[in-house]
Amino acid sequence: MADGPRQRGSTAAPAESEGAAKSQGDSGVALKKEIGLISGCGIIVGNIIGSGIFVSPKGVMENAGSVGLALIVWIVTGVITAVGALCYAELGVTIPKSGGDYSYVKDIFGGLAGFLRLWIAVLVIYPTNQAVIALTFSNYVLQPLFPTCFAPEFGLRLLAAVCLLLLTWVNCSSVRWATRVQDVFTAGKLLALGLIIIMGIVQICKGHYYWLEPSNAFESFKEPDIGLVALAFLQGSFAYGGWNFLNYVTEELVEPHKNLPRAIYISIPLVTFVYVFANIAYVTAMTPQELLDSNAVAVTFGEKLLGVMSWIMPISVALSTFGGVNGSLFTSSRLFFAGAREGHLPRLLAMIHIKRCTPIPALLFTCVSTLLMLVTSDMYTLINYVGFINYLFYGVTVAGQIVLRWKQPDLHRPIKVNLIFPVIYLLFWAFLLVFSLWSEPVVCGIGLAIMLTGVPVYFLGVHWQNKPECFNTFIDNLTYIGQKFCVVVYPAEDSSSDSEEKQELRSPLTKDSEGSQ
Protein backbone atom coordinates (compact mmCIF):
# COMPACT_ATOMS: atom_id res chain seq x y z
CA MET A 1 0.00 0.00 0.00
CA ALA A 2 1.28 3.45 -0.79
CA ASP A 3 2.50 5.62 2.04
CA GLY A 4 0.25 8.60 1.39
CA PRO A 5 -0.80 10.58 -1.66
CA ARG A 6 1.93 10.93 -4.24
CA GLN A 7 3.30 14.44 -4.60
CA ARG A 8 2.98 15.69 -8.14
CA GLY A 9 6.17 15.09 -10.07
CA SER A 10 7.67 12.69 -7.53
CA THR A 11 8.25 8.96 -7.88
CA ALA A 12 8.54 6.06 -5.50
CA ALA A 13 11.73 4.71 -7.05
CA PRO A 14 15.37 5.55 -6.26
CA ALA A 15 17.12 8.55 -7.72
CA GLU A 16 18.15 6.86 -10.99
CA SER A 17 14.57 5.90 -11.72
CA GLU A 18 13.33 9.29 -10.62
CA GLY A 19 15.56 11.01 -13.16
CA ALA A 20 14.36 8.68 -15.88
CA ALA A 21 10.76 9.28 -14.98
CA LYS A 22 11.31 13.01 -15.01
CA SER A 23 12.94 12.99 -18.40
CA GLN A 24 10.18 10.83 -19.77
CA GLY A 25 7.58 13.05 -18.19
CA ASP A 26 9.20 16.05 -19.87
CA SER A 27 8.90 14.26 -23.22
CA GLY A 28 5.15 13.99 -22.75
CA VAL A 29 4.55 10.31 -21.84
CA ALA A 30 0.87 10.26 -20.88
CA LEU A 31 -2.37 8.40 -21.37
CA LYS A 32 -3.54 9.17 -24.89
CA LYS A 33 -7.00 10.39 -25.83
CA GLU A 34 -7.85 7.59 -28.26
CA ILE A 35 -11.44 6.76 -27.28
CA GLY A 36 -13.91 8.39 -29.64
CA LEU A 37 -17.70 8.43 -29.55
CA ILE A 38 -18.15 5.02 -31.21
CA SER A 39 -15.62 3.35 -28.91
CA GLY A 40 -17.23 5.11 -25.93
CA CYS A 41 -20.60 3.64 -26.90
CA GLY A 42 -18.86 0.27 -27.35
CA ILE A 43 -17.51 0.43 -23.80
CA ILE A 44 -20.93 1.21 -22.28
CA VAL A 45 -22.97 -1.21 -24.40
CA GLY A 46 -20.30 -3.91 -24.29
CA ASN A 47 -20.05 -3.80 -20.51
CA ILE A 48 -23.80 -3.70 -19.89
CA ILE A 49 -24.72 -6.47 -22.32
CA GLY A 50 -22.88 -9.54 -21.12
CA SER A 51 -24.25 -13.05 -21.00
CA GLY A 52 -27.33 -12.17 -18.91
CA ILE A 53 -29.77 -11.29 -21.69
CA PHE A 54 -28.77 -14.48 -23.55
CA VAL A 55 -28.66 -16.79 -20.56
CA SER A 56 -30.96 -15.76 -17.75
CA PRO A 57 -33.55 -13.01 -18.13
CA LYS A 58 -35.75 -15.30 -16.07
CA GLY A 59 -34.72 -13.58 -12.82
CA VAL A 60 -36.94 -10.60 -13.63
CA MET A 61 -39.75 -12.76 -15.02
CA GLU A 62 -39.76 -15.10 -12.01
CA ASN A 63 -40.10 -12.31 -9.47
CA ALA A 64 -42.42 -10.08 -11.50
CA GLY A 65 -44.94 -12.89 -11.77
CA SER A 66 -46.25 -11.98 -15.24
CA VAL A 67 -44.95 -11.17 -18.72
CA GLY A 68 -46.46 -7.68 -18.72
CA LEU A 69 -45.02 -6.65 -15.37
CA ALA A 70 -41.61 -8.08 -16.34
CA LEU A 71 -41.54 -5.89 -19.46
CA ILE A 72 -42.52 -2.85 -17.35
CA VAL A 73 -39.63 -3.64 -14.97
CA TRP A 74 -37.17 -3.75 -17.89
CA ILE A 75 -38.43 -0.39 -19.21
CA VAL A 76 -38.53 1.41 -15.84
CA THR A 77 -35.12 0.09 -14.85
CA GLY A 78 -33.72 1.32 -18.17
CA VAL A 79 -35.14 4.79 -17.54
CA ILE A 80 -33.71 4.89 -14.00
CA THR A 81 -30.34 3.72 -15.35
CA ALA A 82 -30.42 6.57 -17.87
CA VAL A 83 -31.16 9.02 -15.02
CA GLY A 84 -28.20 7.72 -13.02
CA ALA A 85 -25.96 7.85 -16.09
CA LEU A 86 -26.88 11.51 -16.68
CA CYS A 87 -25.89 12.30 -13.08
CA TYR A 88 -22.57 10.54 -13.67
CA ALA A 89 -22.14 12.51 -16.91
CA GLU A 90 -22.29 15.78 -14.97
CA LEU A 91 -19.81 14.46 -12.41
CA GLY A 92 -17.56 13.12 -15.18
CA VAL A 93 -17.11 16.50 -16.87
CA THR A 94 -17.05 18.46 -13.58
CA ILE A 95 -14.35 16.20 -12.09
CA PRO A 96 -12.59 15.20 -15.34
CA LYS A 97 -10.50 12.39 -13.88
CA SER A 98 -10.37 8.69 -14.68
CA GLY A 99 -11.52 6.37 -11.92
CA GLY A 100 -15.26 6.94 -12.09
CA ASP A 101 -17.19 6.89 -8.83
CA TYR A 102 -13.99 6.26 -6.84
CA SER A 103 -12.59 9.63 -7.94
CA TYR A 104 -15.90 11.43 -7.34
CA VAL A 105 -16.45 9.95 -3.87
CA LYS A 106 -12.84 10.69 -2.87
CA ASP A 107 -12.95 14.31 -4.03
CA ILE A 108 -16.35 15.04 -2.49
CA PHE A 109 -16.39 12.98 0.71
CA GLY A 110 -12.68 12.56 1.41
CA GLY A 111 -9.93 9.96 1.26
CA LEU A 112 -11.41 7.26 3.52
CA ALA A 113 -14.73 7.09 1.65
CA GLY A 114 -12.93 6.89 -1.69
CA PHE A 115 -10.54 4.25 -0.39
CA LEU A 116 -13.39 2.03 0.83
CA ARG A 117 -14.94 2.19 -2.66
CA LEU A 118 -11.58 1.25 -4.16
CA TRP A 119 -10.91 -1.45 -1.55
CA ILE A 120 -14.09 -3.41 -2.20
CA ALA A 121 -13.56 -3.08 -5.96
CA VAL A 122 -9.95 -4.31 -5.79
CA LEU A 123 -10.63 -7.04 -3.27
CA VAL A 124 -13.79 -8.63 -4.68
CA ILE A 125 -16.01 -6.86 -7.22
CA TYR A 126 -13.89 -6.68 -10.37
CA PRO A 127 -11.80 -9.86 -9.96
CA THR A 128 -14.91 -11.97 -9.29
CA ASN A 129 -17.02 -10.41 -12.05
CA GLN A 130 -14.23 -10.84 -14.61
CA ALA A 131 -13.67 -14.43 -13.51
CA VAL A 132 -17.37 -15.28 -13.84
CA ILE A 133 -17.62 -13.69 -17.31
CA ALA A 134 -14.49 -15.56 -18.44
CA LEU A 135 -15.91 -18.85 -17.11
CA THR A 136 -19.18 -18.21 -18.97
CA PHE A 137 -17.14 -17.66 -22.15
CA SER A 138 -15.25 -20.94 -21.73
CA ASN A 139 -18.45 -22.82 -20.88
CA TYR A 140 -20.11 -21.82 -24.17
CA VAL A 141 -16.97 -22.40 -26.24
CA LEU A 142 -16.58 -25.94 -24.87
CA GLN A 143 -20.31 -26.77 -24.97
CA PRO A 144 -20.25 -28.22 -28.53
CA LEU A 145 -17.43 -30.59 -27.48
CA PHE A 146 -19.48 -31.93 -24.56
CA PRO A 147 -23.08 -32.05 -25.90
CA THR A 148 -24.37 -34.63 -23.42
CA CYS A 149 -22.52 -33.63 -20.25
CA PHE A 150 -20.81 -30.73 -18.48
CA ALA A 151 -17.32 -29.71 -19.55
CA PRO A 152 -14.53 -30.63 -17.09
CA GLU A 153 -14.03 -28.00 -14.40
CA PHE A 154 -10.28 -27.86 -15.02
CA GLY A 155 -10.81 -27.29 -18.75
CA LEU A 156 -13.28 -24.47 -18.08
CA ARG A 157 -10.90 -22.65 -15.76
CA LEU A 158 -7.90 -23.20 -18.03
CA LEU A 159 -9.68 -21.73 -21.07
CA ALA A 160 -10.95 -18.83 -18.95
CA ALA A 161 -7.34 -18.15 -17.88
CA VAL A 162 -6.18 -18.23 -21.52
CA CYS A 163 -8.93 -15.74 -22.42
CA LEU A 164 -7.81 -13.39 -19.61
CA LEU A 165 -4.12 -13.63 -20.54
CA LEU A 166 -4.82 -12.99 -24.24
CA LEU A 167 -6.96 -9.93 -23.57
CA THR A 168 -4.48 -8.60 -21.00
CA TRP A 169 -1.77 -8.80 -23.67
CA VAL A 170 -4.01 -6.92 -26.13
CA ASN A 171 -4.74 -4.20 -23.56
CA CYS A 172 -1.05 -3.89 -22.62
CA SER A 173 -0.05 -3.60 -26.28
CA SER A 174 -2.30 -0.76 -27.37
CA VAL A 175 -5.31 1.26 -26.28
CA ARG A 176 -6.40 1.32 -29.92
CA TRP A 177 -6.29 -2.46 -30.19
CA ALA A 178 -8.31 -2.83 -27.00
CA THR A 179 -10.99 -0.40 -28.18
CA ARG A 180 -11.13 -2.07 -31.61
CA VAL A 181 -11.69 -5.46 -29.95
CA GLN A 182 -14.45 -3.85 -27.88
CA ASP A 183 -16.05 -2.26 -30.95
CA VAL A 184 -16.01 -5.51 -32.95
CA PHE A 185 -17.41 -7.74 -30.22
CA THR A 186 -20.03 -5.18 -29.20
CA ALA A 187 -21.19 -5.04 -32.81
CA GLY A 188 -21.24 -8.86 -32.83
CA LYS A 189 -23.46 -9.16 -29.78
CA LEU A 190 -25.81 -6.44 -31.09
CA LEU A 191 -26.12 -8.34 -34.38
CA ALA A 192 -26.95 -11.54 -32.47
CA LEU A 193 -29.58 -9.74 -30.40
CA GLY A 194 -30.85 -8.06 -33.57
CA LEU A 195 -31.36 -11.54 -35.01
CA ILE A 196 -33.37 -12.54 -31.93
CA ILE A 197 -35.50 -9.38 -32.20
CA ILE A 198 -36.11 -9.88 -35.94
CA MET A 199 -37.17 -13.50 -35.33
CA GLY A 200 -39.53 -12.20 -32.64
CA ILE A 201 -41.06 -9.73 -35.11
CA VAL A 202 -41.50 -12.56 -37.64
CA GLN A 203 -43.21 -14.62 -34.94
CA ILE A 204 -45.59 -11.74 -34.18
CA CYS A 205 -46.37 -11.36 -37.89
CA LYS A 206 -47.25 -15.06 -37.92
CA GLY A 207 -49.70 -14.48 -35.07
CA HIS A 208 -47.60 -15.90 -32.23
CA TYR A 209 -48.24 -13.10 -29.73
CA TYR A 210 -50.54 -14.77 -27.20
CA TRP A 211 -48.44 -13.66 -24.20
CA LEU A 212 -48.26 -10.09 -25.49
CA GLU A 213 -52.00 -9.52 -25.49
CA PRO A 214 -52.87 -7.36 -22.43
CA SER A 215 -55.35 -9.89 -21.04
CA ASN A 216 -52.69 -12.62 -21.11
CA ALA A 217 -49.57 -10.53 -20.49
CA PHE A 218 -50.72 -9.58 -16.99
CA GLU A 219 -51.96 -13.05 -16.13
CA SER A 220 -50.07 -13.83 -12.92
CA PHE A 221 -48.46 -17.22 -12.55
CA LYS A 222 -47.33 -16.28 -9.04
CA GLU A 223 -49.13 -14.54 -6.16
CA PRO A 224 -48.37 -10.77 -6.45
CA ASP A 225 -46.07 -9.51 -3.71
CA ILE A 226 -44.39 -6.11 -3.29
CA GLY A 227 -41.23 -7.78 -2.03
CA LEU A 228 -40.95 -9.94 -5.14
CA VAL A 229 -41.57 -6.92 -7.40
CA ALA A 230 -38.77 -5.08 -5.61
CA LEU A 231 -36.54 -8.11 -6.16
CA ALA A 232 -37.45 -8.03 -9.87
CA PHE A 233 -36.30 -4.38 -10.02
CA LEU A 234 -33.09 -5.35 -8.21
CA GLN A 235 -32.45 -8.12 -10.76
CA GLY A 236 -33.15 -5.65 -13.56
CA SER A 237 -30.73 -3.12 -12.06
CA PHE A 238 -27.97 -5.73 -11.95
CA ALA A 239 -28.66 -6.56 -15.62
CA TYR A 240 -27.92 -2.91 -16.49
CA GLY A 241 -24.66 -2.98 -14.49
CA GLY A 242 -21.71 -1.43 -16.34
CA TRP A 243 -23.50 1.77 -17.39
CA ASN A 244 -20.92 3.85 -15.47
CA PHE A 245 -17.77 2.23 -16.92
CA LEU A 246 -17.02 4.97 -19.44
CA ASN A 247 -16.46 7.32 -16.48
CA TYR A 248 -13.45 5.17 -15.51
CA VAL A 249 -11.59 6.25 -18.66
CA THR A 250 -12.58 9.93 -18.87
CA GLU A 251 -8.97 11.08 -19.37
CA GLU A 252 -8.62 8.88 -22.47
CA LEU A 253 -11.89 10.08 -24.00
CA VAL A 254 -11.70 12.52 -26.91
CA GLU A 255 -13.57 15.71 -25.94
CA PRO A 256 -15.16 14.16 -22.82
CA HIS A 257 -17.46 17.15 -22.24
CA LYS A 258 -19.12 16.28 -25.56
CA ASN A 259 -18.60 12.55 -26.05
CA LEU A 260 -19.37 11.35 -22.51
CA PRO A 261 -23.00 12.60 -22.51
CA ARG A 262 -23.42 11.70 -26.19
CA ALA A 263 -22.30 8.13 -25.54
CA ILE A 264 -24.80 7.91 -22.67
CA TYR A 265 -27.64 9.38 -24.77
CA ILE A 266 -26.99 6.75 -27.45
CA SER A 267 -26.05 3.70 -25.38
CA ILE A 268 -28.61 3.53 -22.55
CA PRO A 269 -31.71 3.89 -24.80
CA LEU A 270 -30.15 1.36 -27.19
CA VAL A 271 -29.59 -1.19 -24.40
CA THR A 272 -33.10 -0.59 -23.02
CA PHE A 273 -34.58 -1.15 -26.49
CA VAL A 274 -32.56 -4.35 -26.96
CA TYR A 275 -33.45 -5.73 -23.52
CA VAL A 276 -37.19 -5.04 -23.88
CA PHE A 277 -37.54 -6.36 -27.42
CA ALA A 278 -35.34 -9.40 -26.80
CA ASN A 279 -37.66 -10.35 -23.94
CA ILE A 280 -40.68 -9.75 -26.20
CA ALA A 281 -39.07 -12.05 -28.79
CA TYR A 282 -38.49 -14.79 -26.22
CA VAL A 283 -42.18 -14.97 -25.22
CA THR A 284 -43.26 -15.26 -28.87
CA ALA A 285 -41.57 -18.67 -29.03
CA MET A 286 -41.76 -19.84 -25.40
CA THR A 287 -44.33 -19.83 -22.64
CA PRO A 288 -43.32 -18.10 -19.40
CA GLN A 289 -42.86 -21.53 -17.81
CA GLU A 290 -40.54 -22.69 -20.60
CA LEU A 291 -38.54 -19.50 -20.16
CA LEU A 292 -38.25 -20.08 -16.41
CA ASP A 293 -37.20 -23.71 -16.93
CA SER A 294 -34.41 -22.83 -19.39
CA ASN A 295 -30.83 -22.41 -18.19
CA ALA A 296 -29.92 -20.55 -21.40
CA VAL A 297 -32.93 -18.78 -22.85
CA ALA A 298 -31.31 -17.66 -26.12
CA VAL A 299 -30.04 -21.18 -26.81
CA THR A 300 -33.53 -22.65 -26.22
CA PHE A 301 -35.00 -19.89 -28.41
CA GLY A 302 -32.51 -20.72 -31.18
CA GLU A 303 -33.26 -24.44 -30.98
CA LYS A 304 -36.97 -23.71 -31.44
CA LEU A 305 -36.67 -21.30 -34.37
CA LEU A 306 -33.27 -21.72 -36.07
CA GLY A 307 -33.12 -25.48 -36.53
CA VAL A 308 -29.73 -26.50 -37.95
CA MET A 309 -28.50 -22.92 -37.44
CA SER A 310 -29.14 -23.05 -33.69
CA TRP A 311 -25.36 -23.12 -33.09
CA ILE A 312 -25.43 -19.34 -33.70
CA MET A 313 -26.79 -18.67 -30.20
CA PRO A 314 -24.08 -20.38 -28.09
CA ILE A 315 -21.44 -18.76 -30.31
CA SER A 316 -23.13 -15.39 -29.77
CA VAL A 317 -22.99 -15.87 -25.99
CA ALA A 318 -19.29 -16.77 -26.21
CA LEU A 319 -18.52 -13.69 -28.33
CA SER A 320 -20.56 -11.49 -26.01
CA THR A 321 -18.71 -12.66 -22.92
CA PHE A 322 -15.31 -12.37 -24.65
CA GLY A 323 -16.05 -8.70 -25.36
CA GLY A 324 -17.32 -8.35 -21.79
CA VAL A 325 -14.02 -9.57 -20.36
CA ASN A 326 -12.12 -7.12 -22.57
CA GLY A 327 -14.26 -4.16 -21.51
CA SER A 328 -14.01 -5.05 -17.84
CA LEU A 329 -10.21 -5.43 -17.98
CA PHE A 330 -9.87 -2.13 -19.82
CA THR A 331 -11.98 -0.09 -17.40
CA SER A 332 -11.10 -1.75 -14.09
CA SER A 333 -7.36 -1.32 -14.76
CA ARG A 334 -8.01 2.43 -15.10
CA LEU A 335 -9.75 2.40 -11.72
CA PHE A 336 -6.69 0.81 -10.10
CA PHE A 337 -4.43 3.23 -12.02
CA ALA A 338 -6.42 6.18 -10.65
CA GLY A 339 -6.28 4.76 -7.11
CA ALA A 340 -2.50 4.38 -7.28
CA ARG A 341 -2.10 7.90 -8.64
CA GLU A 342 -3.94 9.23 -5.58
CA GLY A 343 -1.72 7.23 -3.23
CA HIS A 344 -4.34 4.61 -2.31
CA LEU A 345 -2.62 1.69 -4.04
CA PRO A 346 1.06 0.85 -4.65
CA ARG A 347 2.63 3.59 -6.72
CA LEU A 348 3.82 1.23 -9.43
CA LEU A 349 0.21 0.85 -10.58
CA ALA A 350 0.13 4.56 -11.51
CA MET A 351 2.82 4.13 -14.17
CA ILE A 352 2.46 3.70 -17.93
CA HIS A 353 4.67 2.22 -20.64
CA ILE A 354 7.10 4.74 -22.10
CA LYS A 355 6.16 3.92 -25.72
CA ARG A 356 2.77 2.21 -25.69
CA CYS A 357 1.30 4.62 -23.11
CA THR A 358 -0.75 1.83 -21.52
CA PRO A 359 -1.00 1.24 -17.74
CA ILE A 360 0.76 -2.15 -17.89
CA PRO A 361 1.26 -2.62 -14.10
CA ALA A 362 -2.43 -1.91 -13.41
CA LEU A 363 -3.46 -4.33 -16.18
CA LEU A 364 -1.16 -7.06 -14.85
CA PHE A 365 -2.49 -6.49 -11.32
CA THR A 366 -6.07 -6.80 -12.63
CA CYS A 367 -5.21 -9.98 -14.53
CA VAL A 368 -3.42 -11.66 -11.61
CA SER A 369 -6.20 -10.86 -9.12
CA THR A 370 -8.75 -12.33 -11.56
CA LEU A 371 -6.66 -15.47 -12.11
CA LEU A 372 -6.54 -15.94 -8.34
CA MET A 373 -10.33 -15.77 -8.26
CA LEU A 374 -10.50 -18.49 -10.92
CA VAL A 375 -8.98 -20.97 -8.48
CA THR A 376 -11.34 -19.89 -5.69
CA SER A 377 -14.48 -21.95 -5.20
CA ASP A 378 -16.32 -19.25 -3.25
CA MET A 379 -16.38 -16.44 -5.83
CA TYR A 380 -20.14 -16.71 -6.46
CA THR A 381 -20.72 -16.36 -2.73
CA LEU A 382 -18.46 -13.30 -2.67
CA ILE A 383 -20.44 -11.71 -5.50
CA ASN A 384 -23.65 -12.08 -3.48
CA TYR A 385 -22.02 -10.47 -0.47
CA VAL A 386 -20.63 -7.39 -2.25
CA GLY A 387 -23.42 -6.79 -4.80
CA PHE A 388 -25.19 -4.76 -2.12
CA ILE A 389 -22.04 -2.67 -1.49
CA ASN A 390 -21.56 -1.98 -5.18
CA TYR A 391 -25.11 -0.67 -5.41
CA LEU A 392 -24.63 1.29 -2.19
CA PHE A 393 -21.82 3.32 -3.76
CA TYR A 394 -23.92 4.20 -6.79
CA GLY A 395 -26.26 6.05 -4.43
CA VAL A 396 -23.41 7.61 -2.46
CA THR A 397 -21.91 8.94 -5.70
CA VAL A 398 -25.17 10.47 -6.92
CA ALA A 399 -25.71 11.97 -3.45
CA GLY A 400 -22.24 13.48 -3.89
CA GLN A 401 -23.53 15.36 -6.93
CA ILE A 402 -26.07 17.17 -4.71
CA VAL A 403 -23.39 17.82 -2.05
CA LEU A 404 -21.07 19.27 -4.70
CA ARG A 405 -23.83 21.57 -5.97
CA TRP A 406 -24.26 22.84 -2.40
CA LYS A 407 -20.55 23.17 -1.55
CA GLN A 408 -19.42 24.65 -4.87
CA PRO A 409 -22.43 26.16 -6.67
CA ASP A 410 -20.22 28.31 -8.92
CA LEU A 411 -17.96 25.46 -10.09
CA HIS A 412 -17.78 25.25 -13.89
CA ARG A 413 -20.09 22.46 -15.08
CA PRO A 414 -20.08 21.82 -18.86
CA ILE A 415 -23.19 19.70 -18.22
CA LYS A 416 -25.68 20.62 -15.53
CA VAL A 417 -28.69 18.34 -15.12
CA ASN A 418 -31.81 19.32 -13.21
CA LEU A 419 -31.60 18.29 -9.54
CA ILE A 420 -34.82 16.33 -9.96
CA PHE A 421 -32.74 13.63 -11.70
CA PRO A 422 -30.46 12.76 -8.74
CA VAL A 423 -33.48 12.97 -6.43
CA ILE A 424 -35.43 10.46 -8.58
CA TYR A 425 -32.44 8.14 -8.72
CA LEU A 426 -31.85 8.33 -4.95
CA LEU A 427 -35.50 7.56 -4.18
CA PHE A 428 -35.37 4.47 -6.39
CA TRP A 429 -31.97 3.52 -4.95
CA ALA A 430 -33.21 3.91 -1.35
CA PHE A 431 -36.23 1.71 -2.11
CA LEU A 432 -34.01 -1.12 -3.40
CA LEU A 433 -31.44 -0.66 -0.65
CA VAL A 434 -33.99 -0.82 2.16
CA PHE A 435 -35.57 -3.88 0.57
CA SER A 436 -32.15 -5.58 0.27
CA LEU A 437 -31.40 -4.94 3.94
CA TRP A 438 -34.84 -6.21 4.96
CA SER A 439 -34.83 -9.35 2.82
CA GLU A 440 -31.17 -10.40 3.23
CA PRO A 441 -29.76 -8.72 6.36
CA VAL A 442 -27.04 -11.35 6.89
CA VAL A 443 -25.71 -11.14 3.32
CA CYS A 444 -25.75 -7.32 3.41
CA GLY A 445 -24.10 -7.34 6.85
CA ILE A 446 -21.27 -9.57 5.65
CA GLY A 447 -20.80 -7.31 2.63
CA LEU A 448 -20.51 -4.28 4.92
CA ALA A 449 -18.03 -6.18 7.12
CA ILE A 450 -15.86 -7.00 4.07
CA MET A 451 -15.88 -3.32 3.10
CA LEU A 452 -14.99 -2.18 6.63
CA THR A 453 -11.86 -4.34 6.63
CA GLY A 454 -10.49 -1.52 4.49
CA VAL A 455 -10.59 0.96 7.41
CA PRO A 456 -7.48 -0.36 9.24
CA VAL A 457 -5.75 -0.85 5.87
CA TYR A 458 -6.40 2.81 5.06
CA PHE A 459 -5.01 4.10 8.33
CA LEU A 460 -1.95 1.86 8.20
CA GLY A 461 -1.20 2.15 4.51
CA VAL A 462 -2.34 5.66 3.59
CA HIS A 463 -2.93 7.82 6.66
CA TRP A 464 0.22 6.75 8.55
CA GLN A 465 2.96 8.90 7.04
CA ASN A 466 5.96 8.22 9.30
CA LYS A 467 6.60 4.61 8.34
CA PRO A 468 9.99 3.04 9.20
CA GLU A 469 12.73 3.95 6.76
CA CYS A 470 13.47 0.29 6.06
CA PHE A 471 9.85 -0.21 4.93
CA ASN A 472 10.00 2.80 2.60
CA THR A 473 13.31 1.60 1.13
CA PHE A 474 11.87 -1.87 0.55
CA ILE A 475 8.82 -0.42 -1.26
CA ASP A 476 11.05 1.91 -3.30
CA ASN A 477 13.22 -1.00 -4.41
CA LEU A 478 10.19 -3.08 -5.38
CA THR A 479 8.82 -0.13 -7.36
CA TYR A 480 12.15 0.33 -9.12
CA ILE A 481 12.28 -3.37 -10.07
CA GLY A 482 8.71 -3.15 -11.34
CA GLN A 483 9.57 -0.08 -13.41
CA LYS A 484 12.52 -1.83 -15.04
CA PHE A 485 10.51 -5.01 -15.69
CA CYS A 486 7.49 -3.23 -17.23
CA VAL A 487 9.44 -0.31 -18.77
CA VAL A 488 7.08 2.23 -17.22
CA VAL A 489 7.24 5.74 -15.77
CA TYR A 490 4.79 8.16 -14.19
CA PRO A 491 2.71 9.96 -16.83
CA ALA A 492 3.43 13.60 -17.49
CA GLU A 493 1.21 16.05 -15.61
CA ASP A 494 -1.44 17.86 -17.62
CA SER A 495 -0.62 21.54 -17.68
CA SER A 496 -3.85 22.54 -19.37
CA SER A 497 -6.65 24.51 -17.83
CA ASP A 498 -8.44 21.24 -17.13
CA SER A 499 -5.66 20.36 -14.72
CA GLU A 500 -6.05 23.69 -12.95
CA GLU A 501 -9.79 23.15 -12.62
CA LYS A 502 -9.21 19.69 -11.16
CA GLN A 503 -6.73 21.05 -8.63
CA GLU A 504 -9.14 23.87 -7.75
CA LEU A 505 -11.87 21.33 -7.12
CA ARG A 506 -9.70 19.03 -5.02
CA SER A 507 -8.38 21.67 -2.67
CA PRO A 508 -11.52 22.88 -0.85
CA LEU A 509 -13.22 19.50 -0.77
CA THR A 510 -10.37 17.28 0.32
CA LYS A 511 -7.88 19.53 2.07
CA ASP A 512 -9.04 18.36 5.48
CA SER A 513 -8.73 14.66 4.69
CA GLU A 514 -5.46 14.98 2.79
CA GLY A 515 -4.01 17.41 5.25
CA SER A 516 -4.41 14.84 7.97
CA GLN A 517 -2.70 12.11 5.98
Side-chain angles (χ1 to χ4, degrees), residues 31-33 35 92 95-104 107 245-253 330-331 333-339 341-342 502:
L31 293 174
K32 294 181 179 179
K33 290 184 177 293
I35 303 174
I95 307 175
K97 293 158 57 172
S98 292
D101 37 24
Y102 157 72
S103 294
Y104 313 148
D107 281 4
F245 276 24
L246 189 58
N247 291 70
Y248 289 154
V249 295
T250 304
E251 292 173 36
E252 295 169 82
L253 191 61
F330 184 84
T331 53
S333 64
R334 269 56 177 184
L335 172 62
F336 301 157
F337 168 86
R341 186 174 58 183
E342 298 292 344
K502 287 186 279 184

Side-chain angles (χ1 to χ4, degrees), residues 119-129 373 382-383 386 450:
W119 175 250
I120 201 72
V122 170
L123 196 64
V124 182
I125 291 174
Y126 290 102
T128 51
N129 283 344
M373 280 297 174
L382 286 172
I383 287 176
V386 300
I450 293 173

